[in-house]
Amino acid sequence: MAMGLAGLPDREWMIKDAKGRKYNYDSEEEAFEELPEYGEGATVWTREVYRALFVTKSIDGWKQVPNSRV
């Protein structure tokens, strides 16, 4: 997919709790701020995406973000 057709890259953020439920966030700061609310075992994940019209395409998939804020 050509860069001009796909638009600019963007990041998506997600919290995955210990039961596997997923919650989306707009920024890293927001995700880490909310992380304690989901209890022990909850983790923050991110991925780089490209958006074109109504399609979101991820190149590398979700990757866990180390919690350096503990």
Side-chain angles (χ1 to χ4, degrees):
M1 185 179 282
M3 186 64 130
L5 296 175
L8 297 174
D10 195 13
R11 283 221 166 264
E12 290 185 336
W13 298 90
M14 165 182 74
I15 290 178
K16 188 186 299 184
D17 70 10
K19 295 181 180 179
R21 291 178 291 215
K22 301 173 185 175
Y23 307 90
N24 293 318
Y25 290 90
D26 294 326
S27 69
E28 178 182 19
E29 293 78 20
E30 186 180 17
F32 276 107
E33 195 173 282
E34 295 292 320
L35 185 62
E37 301 295 321
Y38 293 99
E40 189 174 330
T43 53
V44 175
W45 296 71
T46 189
R47 68 179 179 172
E48 186 173 23
V49 295
Y50 295 90
R51 291 187 172 86
L53 298 176
F54 300 105
V55 178
T56 300
K57 175 83 173 168
S58 174
I59 303 301
D60 296 326
W62 290 102
K63 294 182 181 177
Q64 188 173 348
V65 178
N67 189 353
S68 59
R69 298 170 186 228
V70 176

